[in-house]
Coordinates of all heavy atoms in Angstrom, one line a residue:
M542 N 0.8 -1.2 0.0 CA 0.0 0.0 0.0 C 0.9 1.2 0.0 O 1.8 1.4 0.7 CB -0.9 0.0 1.2 CG -1.8 1.1 1.3 SD -3.1 0.8 2.6 CE -3.2 2.4 3.2
S543 N 0.5 2.2 -0.8 CA 1.3 3.5 -0.9 C 1.0 4.3 0.3 O -0.1 4.4 0.8 CB 0.9 4.2 -2.2 OG 1.2 3.5 -3.3
T544 N 2.0 5.1 0.7 CA 1.9 5.9 1.9 C 1.7 7.4 1.6 O 1.2 8.1 2.3 CB 3.0 5.7 2.9 OG1 4.2 6.0 2.2 CG2 3.1 4.3 3.4
T545 N 2.2 7.8 0.4 CA 2.1 9.2 0.0 C 1.6 9.2 -1.4 O 1.7 8.3 -2.2 CB 3.5 9.9 0.1 OG1 4.4 9.3 -0.9 CG2 4.1 9.8 1.4
L546 N 1.2 10.4 -1.8 CA 0.8 10.6 -3.2 C 2.0 10.3 -4.2 O 1.8 9.7 -5.2 CB 0.3 12.0 -3.4 CG -0.3 12.3 -4.8 CD1 -1.4 11.4 -5.2 CD2 -0.7 13.8 -4.9
A547 N 3.1 10.8 -3.8 CA 4.3 10.5 -4.7 C 4.6 9.0 -4.8 O 4.9 8.6 -5.9 CB 5.5 11.2 -4.1
D548 N 4.3 8.3 -3.8 CA 4.5 6.8 -3.9 C 3.4 6.2 -4.8 O 3.6 5.3 -5.6 CB 4.3 6.1 -2.5 CG 5.5 6.4 -1.5 OD1 6.6 6.7 -2.0 OD2 5.2 6.4 -0.3
W549 N 2.2 6.8 -4.7 CA 1.1 6.3 -5.5 C 1.4 6.6 -7.0 O 1.0 5.8 -7.8 CB -0.3 6.9 -5.1 CG -1.4 6.4 -5.9 CD1 -2.0 5.2 -5.7 CD2 -2.0 7.0 -7.0 NE1 -3.0 5.0 -6.7 CE2 -3.0 6.2 -7.5 CE3 -1.8 8.2 -7.7 CZ2 -3.8 6.5 -8.6 CZ3 -2.6 8.5 -8.8 CH2 -3.6 7.7 -9.2
F550 N 2.0 7.7 -7.3 CA 2.4 8.0 -8.6 C 3.3 7.0 -9.2 O 3.5 7.0 -10.4 CB 3.0 9.4 -8.7 CG 2.0 10.5 -8.8 CD1 2.2 11.7 -8.2 CD2 0.8 10.4 -9.5 CE1 1.3 12.8 -8.3 CE2 -0.1 11.4 -9.6 CZ 0.1 12.6 -9.0
A551 N 4.0 6.2 -8.4 CA 4.9 5.1 -8.9 C 4.1 3.9 -9.3 O 4.7 3.0 -10.0 CB 5.9 4.8 -7.9
T552 N 2.8 3.8 -9.0 CA 2.0 2.6 -9.4 C 1.6 2.8 -10.9 O 1.6 3.9 -11.4 CB 0.7 2.5 -8.5 OG1 -0.1 3.6 -8.8 CG2 1.1 2.5 -7.0
P553 N 1.1 1.7 -11.5 CA 0.7 1.8 -12.9 C -0.4 2.9 -13.1 O -0.3 3.7 -14.0 CB 0.2 0.4 -13.3 CG 1.0 -0.5 -12.4 CD 1.2 0.3 -11.1
T554 N -1.4 2.9 -12.3 CA -2.5 3.9 -12.4 C -1.9 5.2 -12.1 O -2.3 6.2 -12.8 CB -3.6 3.5 -11.4 OG1 -4.1 2.2 -11.7 CG2 -4.8 4.5 -11.6
G555 N -1.1 5.4 -11.1 CA -0.5 6.7 -10.8 C 0.4 7.2 -11.9 O 0.3 8.4 -12.2
R556 N 1.1 6.4 -12.6 CA 2.0 6.8 -13.7 C 1.1 7.3 -14.8 O 1.4 8.3 -15.5 CB 2.9 5.7 -14.2 CG 4.1 5.5 -13.3 CD 5.1 4.6 -13.9 NE 4.6 3.3 -14.2 CZ 4.6 2.2 -13.4 NH1 5.1 2.4 -12.2 NH2 4.1 1.1 -13.8
Y557 N 0.0 6.6 -15.1 CA -1.0 7.0 -16.1 C -1.5 8.4 -15.8 O -1.5 9.3 -16.6 CB -2.1 6.0 -16.3 CG -3.2 6.5 -17.2 CD1 -3.1 6.4 -18.5 CD2 -4.4 7.0 -16.6 CE1 -4.1 6.9 -19.4 CE2 -5.4 7.5 -17.5 CZ -5.2 7.4 -18.8 OH -6.2 7.8 -19.7
L558 N -2.0 8.6 -14.6 CA -2.6 9.9 -14.2 C -1.5 11.0 -14.2 O -1.7 12.1 -14.7 CB -3.2 9.8 -12.8 CG -3.8 11.2 -12.3 CD1 -4.9 11.6 -13.2 CD2 -4.2 11.0 -10.8
L559 N -0.3 10.7 -13.7 CA 0.8 11.7 -13.7 C 1.1 12.1 -15.1 O 1.3 13.3 -15.4 CB 2.0 11.1 -13.0 CG 3.2 12.0 -12.9 CD1 2.9 13.3 -12.2 CD2 4.4 11.3 -12.3
A560 N 1.2 11.2 -16.1 CA 1.4 11.6 -17.5 C 0.4 12.5 -18.0 O 0.7 13.5 -18.7 CB 1.6 10.3 -18.3
R561 N -0.9 12.2 -17.7 CA -2.0 13.1 -18.1 C -1.9 14.5 -17.5 O -2.1 15.5 -18.1 CB -3.4 12.4 -17.8 CG -3.6 11.1 -18.4 CD -4.1 11.2 -19.9 NE -5.1 12.1 -20.1 CZ -6.4 11.8 -20.4 NH1 -6.7 10.5 -20.5 NH2 -7.3 12.7 -20.6
E562 N -1.6 14.5 -16.2 CA -1.5 15.8 -15.5 C -0.3 16.6 -16.0 O -0.4 17.8 -16.2 CB -1.4 15.6 -14.0 CG -2.7 15.1 -13.3 CD -2.5 15.0 -11.8 OE1 -1.4 15.0 -11.3 OE2 -3.6 14.9 -11.2
Q563 N 0.8 15.9 -16.2 CA 2.0 16.6 -16.7 C 1.7 17.2 -18.0 O 2.1 18.4 -18.3 CB 3.2 15.7 -16.8 CG 4.5 16.4 -17.1 CD 5.0 17.3 -16.0 OE1 5.2 16.8 -14.9 NE2 5.1 18.6 -16.3
A564 N 1.0 16.5 -18.9 CA 0.7 17.0 -20.2 C -0.2 18.3 -20.1 O -0.1 19.3 -20.8 CB 0.0 16.0 -21.1
W565 N -1.2 18.2 -19.2 CA -2.1 19.3 -19.0 C -1.4 20.5 -18.5 O -1.5 21.6 -19.0 CB -3.2 18.9 -18.0 CG -4.2 20.0 -17.9 CD1 -5.3 20.3 -18.7 CD2 -4.2 21.1 -16.9 NE1 -6.0 21.4 -18.3 CE2 -5.3 21.9 -17.2 CE3 -3.4 21.4 -15.8 CZ2 -5.6 23.0 -16.4 CZ3 -3.7 22.5 -15.1 CH2 -4.8 23.3 -15.4
F566 N -0.5 20.3 -17.5 CA 0.3 21.5 -16.9 C 1.2 22.0 -18.0 O 1.3 23.2 -18.1 CB 1.1 21.0 -15.7 CG 0.3 21.1 -14.4 CD1 -0.1 19.9 -13.8 CD2 0.0 22.3 -13.8 CE1 -0.9 20.0 -12.6 CE2 -0.7 22.4 -12.6 CZ -1.2 21.2 -12.0
D567 N 1.8 21.2 -18.7 CA 2.8 21.6 -19.8 C 2.1 22.5 -20.8 O 2.6 23.6 -21.1 CB 3.4 20.4 -20.5 CG 4.4 19.7 -19.7 OD1 4.8 20.2 -18.6 OD2 4.8 18.6 -20.1
R568 N 0.9 22.1 -21.2 CA 0.1 23.0 -22.1 C -0.4 24.3 -21.5 O -0.3 25.4 -22.1 CB -1.1 22.2 -22.7 CG -0.9 21.2 -23.7 CD -2.2 20.7 -24.3 NE -3.2 20.4 -23.3 CZ -3.3 19.2 -22.7 NH1 -2.5 18.2 -23.0 NH2 -4.3 19.0 -21.8
T569 N -0.8 24.2 -20.3 CA -1.4 25.4 -19.6 C -0.4 26.4 -19.2 O -0.6 27.6 -19.5 CB -2.2 24.9 -18.4 OG1 -3.2 23.9 -18.8 CG2 -2.9 26.0 -17.7
V570 N 0.7 26.0 -18.6 CA 1.7 27.0 -18.1 C 2.5 27.6 -19.2 O 3.1 28.7 -19.0 CB 2.6 26.5 -16.9 CG1 1.7 25.9 -15.8 CG2 3.5 25.4 -17.5
A571 N 2.6 27.0 -20.3 CA 3.4 27.5 -21.4 C 2.9 28.9 -21.9 O 3.7 29.7 -22.4 CB 3.4 26.5 -22.6
D572 N 1.6 29.1 -21.8 CA 1.0 30.4 -22.3 C 0.8 31.4 -21.2 O 0.1 32.4 -21.5 CB -0.3 30.0 -23.0 CG -0.1 29.2 -24.3 OD1 1.0 29.4 -24.9 OD2 -0.9 28.4 -24.6
I573 N 1.3 31.2 -20.0 CA 1.0 32.2 -19.0 C 2.3 33.1 -18.9 O 3.4 32.6 -18.7 CB 0.7 31.5 -17.6 CG1 -0.6 30.7 -17.8 CG2 0.6 32.5 -16.5 CD1 -0.9 29.9 -16.6
F574 N 2.0 34.4 -19.0 CA 3.1 35.4 -18.9 C 3.3 35.8 -17.4 O 2.4 35.9 -16.7 CB 2.9 36.6 -19.7 CG 3.9 37.7 -19.6 CD1 5.1 37.6 -20.2 CD2 3.7 38.8 -18.7 CE1 6.1 38.5 -20.0 CE2 4.6 39.7 -18.6 CZ 5.9 39.6 -19.2
G575 N 4.5 36.1 -17.1 CA 4.8 36.6 -15.7 C 6.3 36.7 -15.5 O 7.1 36.3 -16.4
F576 N 6.7 37.0 -14.3 CA 8.1 37.1 -13.9 C 8.5 36.1 -12.9 O 9.7 35.7 -12.8 CB 8.4 38.5 -13.5 CG 8.3 39.6 -14.5 CD1 7.1 40.3 -14.6 CD2 9.2 39.7 -15.5 CE1 6.9 41.3 -15.5 CE2 9.0 40.6 -16.5 CZ 7.9 41.4 -16.6
R577 N 7.6 35.7 -12.0 CA 7.9 34.8 -10.9 C 6.8 33.7 -10.8 O 5.6 34.1 -10.7 CB 8.1 35.5 -9.6 CG 9.3 36.4 -9.6 CD 9.4 37.3 -8.5 NE 8.4 38.4 -8.6 CZ 8.5 39.5 -9.3 NH1 9.6 39.6 -10.1 NH2 7.6 40.4 -9.4
A578 N 7.2 32.5 -10.7 CA 6.2 31.4 -10.6 C 6.6 30.5 -9.4 O 7.8 30.3 -9.2 CB 6.1 30.6 -11.9
V579 N 5.6 29.9 -8.8 CA 5.9 29.0 -7.7 C 5.0 27.8 -7.8 O 3.8 27.9 -8.2 CB 5.6 29.7 -6.3 CG1 5.4 28.7 -5.2 CG2 6.6 30.6 -6.0
Q580 N 5.5 26.6 -7.6 CA 4.8 25.4 -7.5 C 4.8 25.0 -6.0 O 5.9 24.8 -5.4 CB 5.4 24.2 -8.3 CG 4.7 22.9 -8.1 CD 5.4 21.8 -8.9 OE1 5.7 22.0 -10.1 NE2 5.5 20.6 -8.3
I581 N 3.6 24.8 -5.4 CA 3.6 24.5 -4.0 C 3.2 23.0 -3.9 O 2.1 22.6 -4.3 CB 2.5 25.3 -3.2 CG1 3.0 26.8 -3.4 CG2 2.4 24.9 -1.8 CD1 2.0 27.8 -2.8
G582 N 4.1 22.2 -3.3 CA 3.9 20.8 -3.2 C 4.4 20.0 -4.4 O 4.6 20.5 -5.5
L583 N 4.6 18.7 -4.1 CA 5.1 17.7 -5.1 C 6.3 18.2 -5.9 O 6.3 18.2 -7.1 CB 3.9 17.3 -6.0 CG 2.8 16.6 -5.4 CD1 1.7 16.4 -6.4 CD2 3.2 15.3 -4.8
P584 N 7.3 18.7 -5.2 CA 8.5 19.3 -5.9 C 9.2 18.3 -6.8 O 9.9 18.7 -7.7 CB 9.4 19.8 -4.8 CG 9.0 18.9 -3.6 CD 7.5 18.7 -3.7
E585 N 9.0 17.0 -6.5 CA 9.7 16.0 -7.3 C 9.1 15.8 -8.7 O 9.6 15.2 -9.6 CB 9.7 14.6 -6.6 CG 8.4 14.1 -6.2 CD 7.9 14.5 -4.8 OE1 7.5 15.7 -4.7 OE2 8.0 13.7 -3.9
F586 N 8.0 16.5 -9.0 CA 7.3 16.5 -10.3 C 7.3 17.9 -10.8 O 6.7 18.8 -10.3 CB 5.9 15.9 -10.2 CG 5.9 14.6 -9.5 CD1 5.4 14.4 -8.2 CD2 6.3 13.5 -10.2 CE1 5.4 13.2 -7.7 CE2 6.3 12.2 -9.7 CZ 5.9 12.1 -8.4
P587 N 8.0 18.2 -12.0 CA 8.2 19.5 -12.5 C 7.0 20.1 -13.3 O 7.0 20.1 -14.5 CB 9.4 19.4 -13.4 CG 9.3 18.0 -13.9 CD 8.7 17.2 -12.8
F588 N 5.9 20.5 -12.6 CA 4.7 20.9 -13.2 C 4.9 22.3 -13.9 O 4.1 22.8 -14.6 CB 3.5 20.9 -12.3 CG 3.1 19.6 -11.9 CD1 3.1 19.1 -10.6 CD2 2.6 18.7 -12.9 CE1 2.7 17.9 -10.2 CE2 2.2 17.4 -12.5 CZ 2.2 17.0 -11.2
L589 N 6.0 23.0 -13.6 CA 6.3 24.3 -14.2 C 7.4 24.1 -15.3 O 7.9 25.1 -15.8 CB 6.8 25.3 -13.1 CG 5.8 25.8 -12.2 CD1 6.5 26.6 -11.1 CD2 4.7 26.6 -12.9
A590 N 7.7 22.9 -15.7 CA 8.8 22.7 -16.6 C 8.6 23.5 -18.0 O 9.6 23.9 -18.5 CB 8.9 21.2 -16.9
Q591 N 7.4 23.6 -18.5 CA 7.2 24.2 -19.8 C 6.9 25.7 -19.6 O 6.6 26.4 -20.6 CB 6.1 23.5 -20.5 CG 6.5 22.1 -20.9 CD 7.8 22.0 -21.7 OE1 8.0 22.7 -22.7 NE2 8.7 21.1 -21.3
S592 N 6.9 26.2 -18.4 CA 6.7 27.7 -18.2 C 7.8 28.5 -18.8 O 9.0 28.2 -18.7 CB 6.5 28.0 -16.7 OG 6.4 29.3 -16.5
R593 N 7.4 29.6 -19.4 CA 8.4 30.5 -20.0 C 8.8 31.5 -18.9 O 9.7 32.4 -19.2 CB 7.8 31.3 -21.2 CG 7.7 30.4 -22.4 CD 7.2 31.1 -23.6 NE 5.8 31.1 -23.6 CZ 5.0 31.8 -24.4 NH1 5.6 32.7 -25.2 NH2 3.7 31.7 -24.4
I594 N 8.2 31.5 -17.7 CA 8.6 32.3 -16.6 C 10.0 31.9 -16.1 O 10.2 30.7 -15.8 CB 7.6 32.3 -15.5 CG1 6.2 32.8 -16.0 CG2 8.1 33.1 -14.3 CD1 5.1 32.7 -15.0
A595 N 11.0 32.8 -16.1 CA 12.3 32.5 -15.8 C 12.6 32.2 -14.3 O 13.3 31.2 -14.0 CB 13.3 33.6 -16.3
A596 N 12.0 33.0 -13.5 CA 12.2 32.8 -12.0 C 11.1 31.9 -11.5 O 9.9 32.3 -11.4 CB 12.2 34.1 -11.3
R597 N 11.4 30.7 -11.2 CA 10.4 29.8 -10.7 C 11.0 28.9 -9.6 O 12.1 28.5 -9.7 CB 9.7 29.0 -11.8 CG 10.7 28.2 -12.7 CD 9.9 27.5 -13.8 NE 10.8 26.7 -14.6 CZ 11.1 26.9 -15.9 NH1 10.5 27.9 -16.5 NH2 11.9 26.2 -16.5
W598 N 10.2 28.6 -8.6 CA 10.6 27.8 -7.5 C 9.6 26.7 -7.1 O 8.4 26.9 -7.4 CB 10.8 28.7 -6.2 CG 11.7 29.8 -6.5 CD1 13.1 29.7 -6.3 CD2 11.4 31.1 -6.8 NE1 13.6 31.0 -6.6 CE2 12.6 31.8 -6.9 CE3 10.2 31.8 -7.2 CZ2 12.7 33.2 -7.3 CZ3 10.3 33.1 -7.5 CH2 11.5 33.8 -7.6
T599 N 10.0 25.7 -6.5 CA 9.1 24.7 -5.9 C 9.2 24.9 -4.3 O 10.3 25.1 -3.8 CB 9.5 23.2 -6.2 OG1 10.9 23.0 -5.8 CG2 9.4 23.0 -7.7
V600 N 8.1 24.8 -3.7 CA 8.0 25.0 -2.3 C 7.3 23.8 -1.6 O 6.4 23.2 -2.1 CB 7.1 26.2 -1.9 CG1 6.9 26.3 -0.4 CG2 7.7 27.5 -2.5
D601 N 7.9 23.3 -0.5 CA 7.3 22.2 0.2 C 7.9 22.3 1.7 O 8.9 22.9 1.9 CB 7.7 20.8 -0.3 CG 6.9 19.7 0.2 OD1 5.8 19.5 -0.5 OD2 7.2 19.1 1.2
D602 N 7.1 21.8 2.6 CA 7.5 22.0 4.0 C 8.5 20.9 4.5 O 9.1 21.0 5.5 CB 6.3 22.1 4.9 CG 5.4 20.9 4.9 OD1 5.6 20.0 4.0 OD2 4.5 20.8 5.7
A603 N 8.6 19.8 3.7 CA 9.4 18.7 4.2 C 10.3 18.1 3.1 O 11.3 17.5 3.4 CB 8.5 17.6 4.8
A604 N 9.9 18.1 1.9 CA 10.6 17.4 0.8 C 12.0 18.0 0.5 O 12.1 19.2 0.4 CB 9.7 17.4 -0.5
A605 N 12.9 17.1 0.5 CA 14.3 17.6 0.2 C 14.4 18.1 -1.3 O 15.3 18.9 -1.5 CB 15.3 16.4 0.4
A606 N 13.5 17.7 -2.2 CA 13.6 18.1 -3.6 C 13.2 19.6 -3.7 O 13.4 20.2 -4.8 CB 12.7 17.2 -4.4
A607 N 12.5 20.2 -2.8 CA 12.0 21.5 -2.9 C 13.1 22.5 -2.9 O 14.1 22.4 -2.1 CB 11.0 21.8 -1.7
Q608 N 13.0 23.6 -3.6 CA 14.0 24.7 -3.6 C 13.8 25.6 -2.4 O 14.8 26.2 -2.0 CB 13.9 25.4 -5.0 CG 14.3 24.6 -6.1 CD 13.8 25.2 -7.4 OE1 12.7 25.7 -7.5 NE2 14.7 25.1 -8.5
V609 N 12.6 25.7 -2.0 CA 12.2 26.5 -0.8 C 11.5 25.7 0.1 O 10.5 25.1 -0.2 CB 11.4 27.8 -1.2 CG1 11.0 28.6 0.0 CG2 12.1 28.6 -2.3
R610 N 12.0 25.6 1.3 CA 11.3 24.8 2.4 C 10.5 25.7 3.3 O 11.1 26.6 3.9 CB 12.3 24.0 3.2 CG 12.9 22.9 2.3 CD 13.7 21.9 3.0 NE 12.9 21.2 4.0 CZ 13.4 20.2 4.8 NH1 14.6 19.9 4.7 NH2 12.6 19.6 5.7
A611 N 9.2 25.7 3.2 CA 8.4 26.6 3.9 C 7.0 25.9 4.1 O 6.6 25.1 3.3 CB 8.2 27.9 3.2
D612 N 6.3 26.4 5.1 CA 4.9 26.0 5.3 C 4.1 26.6 4.2 O 4.2 27.8 3.9 CB 4.4 26.5 6.7 CG 3.0 26.1 7.0 OD1 2.2 25.9 6.0 OD2 2.6 26.1 8.2
P613 N 3.3 25.8 3.4 CA 2.6 26.3 2.3 C 1.6 27.4 2.7 O 1.1 28.2 1.9 CB 1.8 25.1 1.8 CG 2.6 23.9 2.2 CD 3.2 24.3 3.5
N614 N 1.2 27.5 4.0 CA 0.3 28.5 4.4 C 1.0 29.8 4.7 O 0.3 30.9 4.9 CB -0.5 28.0 5.7 CG -1.3 26.8 5.4 OD1 -2.1 26.9 4.5 ND2 -1.1 25.8 6.1
W615 N 2.3 29.8 4.8 CA 3.1 31.0 5.2 C 4.3 31.1 4.2 O 5.4 30.8 4.6 CB 3.5 31.0 6.6 CG 2.4 30.8 7.6 CD1 2.0 29.7 8.2 CD2 1.5 31.8 8.0 NE1 0.9 29.9 8.9 CE2 0.5 31.2 8.8 CE3 1.4 33.2 7.7 CZ2 -0.5 31.9 9.4 CZ3 0.3 33.9 8.3 CH2 -0.6 33.3 9.1
L616 N 4.1 31.5 3.0 CA 5.1 31.6 2.0 C 6.1 32.7 2.3 O 5.6 33.8 2.6 CB 4.5 31.7 0.6 CG 3.6 30.5 0.2 CD1 3.0 30.8 -1.2 CD2 4.4 29.2 0.2
P617 N 7.4 32.5 2.0 CA 8.4 33.5 2.3 C 8.6 34.5 1.1 O 9.7 34.8 0.7 CB 9.6 32.7 2.6 CG 9.5 31.5 1.7 CD 8.0 31.2 1.7
F618 N 7.5 34.9 0.5 CA 7.6 35.8 -0.7 C 6.8 37.1 -0.3 O 5.7 37.0 0.3 CB 7.0 35.1 -1.9 CG 7.7 33.9 -2.4 CD1 7.1 32.6 -2.1 CD2 8.9 33.9 -3.0 CE1 7.7 31.5 -2.4 CE2 9.5 32.8 -3.4 CZ 9.0 31.5 -3.1
P619 N 7.2 38.2 -0.8 CA 6.5 39.4 -0.5 C 5.1 39.4 -1.2 O 4.9 38.7 -2.2 CB 7.3 40.5 -1.2 CG 8.7 39.9 -1.4 CD 8.5 38.5 -1.5
E620 N 4.2 40.1 -0.5 CA 2.8 40.2 -1.0 C 2.8 40.7 -2.5 O 3.6 41.6 -2.8 CB 2.0 41.1 -0.1 CG 0.5 41.1 -0.4 CD -0.2 42.0 0.6 OE1 0.2 41.9 1.8 OE2 -1.2 42.6 0.2
N621 N 2.0 40.1 -3.3 CA 1.8 40.6 -4.7 C 3.1 40.4 -5.5 O 3.3 41.2 -6.5 CB 1.3 42.0 -4.8 CG -0.1 42.1 -4.2 OD1 -0.9 41.3 -4.4 ND2 -0.3 43.2 -3.4
S622 N 3.9 39.5 -5.2 CA 5.2 39.3 -5.9 C 5.2 38.1 -6.9 O 6.1 37.9 -7.6 CB 6.4 39.2 -5.0 OG 6.3 38.0 -4.2
L623 N 4.2 37.3 -6.8 CA 4.1 36.1 -7.6 C 3.1 36.2 -8.8 O 2.0 36.7 -8.5 CB 3.8 34.9 -6.8 CG 4.8 34.6 -5.7 CD1 4.2 33.5 -4.8 CD2 6.1 34.2 -6.2
D624 N 3.5 35.8 -9.9 CA 2.5 35.9 -11.1 C 1.8 34.6 -11.3 O 0.7 34.6 -11.9 CB 3.3 36.3 -12.3 CG 4.1 37.6 -12.2 OD1 3.4 38.6 -11.9 OD2 5.3 37.6 -12.2
L625 N 2.4 33.5 -10.9 CA 1.7 32.2 -11.2 C 2.0 31.3 -10.0 O 3.2 31.2 -9.5 CB 2.3 31.5 -12.4 CG 1.9 30.1 -12.7 CD1 0.3 30.0 -12.9 CD2 2.6 29.6 -13.9
I626 N 1.0 30.7 -9.4 CA 1.1 29.8 -8.3 C 0.4 28.5 -8.8 O -0.8 28.5 -9.1 CB 0.5 30.3 -7.0 CG1 1.2 31.6 -6.6 CG2 0.5 29.2 -5.9 CD1 0.5 32.2 -5.4
V627 N 1.1 27.4 -8.8 CA 0.6 26.1 -9.2 C 0.5 25.3 -7.9 O 1.4 25.1 -7.1 CB 1.5 25.4 -10.2 CG1 1.1 24.0 -10.5 CG2 1.5 26.2 -11.5
L628 N -0.7 24.7 -7.7 CA -1.0 23.9 -6.5 C -1.5 22.5 -6.8 O -2.7 22.2 -6.7 CB -2.1 24.6 -5.6 CG -1.8 26.0 -5.2 CD1 -3.1 26.8 -4.9 CD2 -0.9 26.0 -4.0
P629 N -0.6 21.7 -7.3 CA -1.0 20.3 -7.7 C -1.5 19.5 -6.4 O -0.7 19.4 -5.5 CB 0.2 19.7 -8.3 CG 1.4 20.4 -7.8 CD 0.9 21.8 -7.5
H630 N -2.6 19.0 -6.5 CA -3.2 18.2 -5.4 C -3.2 18.9 -4.1 O -2.8 18.3 -3.0 CB -2.5 16.8 -5.3 CG -2.7 16.0 -6.6 ND1 -3.8 15.2 -6.7 CD2 -2.0 15.9 -7.7 CE1 -3.8 14.7 -7.9 NE2 -2.7 15.1 -8.5
A631 N -3.5 20.2 -4.1 CA -3.4 21.0 -2.9 C -4.3 20.5 -1.8 O -4.1 20.8 -0.6 CB -3.7 22.5 -3.2
L632 N -5.4 19.9 -2.1 CA -6.3 19.4 -1.0 C -5.7 18.3 -0.2 O -6.1 18.0 0.9 CB -7.6 18.9 -1.6 CG -8.4 19.9 -2.4 CD1 -9.7 19.2 -3.0 CD2 -8.8 21.0 -1.4
E633 N -4.5 17.7 -0.6 CA -3.9 16.7 0.2 C -3.0 17.3 1.3 O -2.5 16.6 2.1 CB -3.0 15.8 -0.7 CG -3.8 14.8 -1.5 CD -4.3 15.3 -2.8 OE1 -3.9 16.4 -3.2 OE2 -5.2 14.6 -3.4
F634 N -2.8 18.6 1.3 CA -1.9 19.3 2.3 C -2.5 19.1 3.7 O -3.6 19.1 4.0 CB -1.7 20.8 2.1 CG -0.7 21.0 1.1 CD1 -1.0 21.6 -0.1 CD2 0.7 20.8 1.4 CE1 0.0 21.9 -1.0 CE2 1.6 21.0 0.5 CZ 1.3 21.6 -0.7

């Protein structure tokens, strides 16, 4: 039995869903303009990979793969400084 969503993504069904989600994010973020983007959660999966926004970070409170370690409820970014925030599976927090 999988213990985390990232573990579940390693299952056959999880890999299928992850591929579909990655394709959707790739299409969606490619057309969004801005200067700073953040992905909150699941830093091991690059949902901002196709973004043209140059300054982008992944945030997580525990994952070593995250570029910024912070509580997702208290982000260390100034108010109104982010142009795109991606929250994959945010209800799992």
Side-chain angles (χ1 to χ4, degrees):
M542 184 168 140
S543 298
T544 57
T545 67
L546 182 60
D548 292 336
W549 183 79
F550 276 143
T552 68
T554 305
R556 284 191 301 272
Y557 171 80
L558 178 64
L559 180 59
R561 300 281 310 250
E562 286 183 349
Q563 186 68 60
W565 184 85
F566 275 107
D567 288 348
R568 282 189 314 273
T569 304
V570 303
D572 293 328
I573 297 174
F574 174 79
F576 297 101
R577 289 169 293 282
V579 164
Q580 174 181 321
I581 300 174
L583 297 175
E585 55 271 78
F586 304 106
F588 291 118
L589 290 172
Q591 297 303 313
S592 175
R593 290 184 269 169
I594 297 174
R597 53 184 185 243
W598 302 274
T599 55
V600 175
D601 197 88
D602 60 350
Q608 295 163 319
V609 177
R610 292 190 60 179
D612 182 332
N614 297 306
W615 305 100
L616 297 176
F618 300 102
E620 188 174 324
N621 296 319
S622 68
L623 300 172
D624 302 301
L625 173 63
I626 300 174
V627 173
L628 301 158
H630 296 274
L632 296 178
E633 283 87 12
F634 277 111

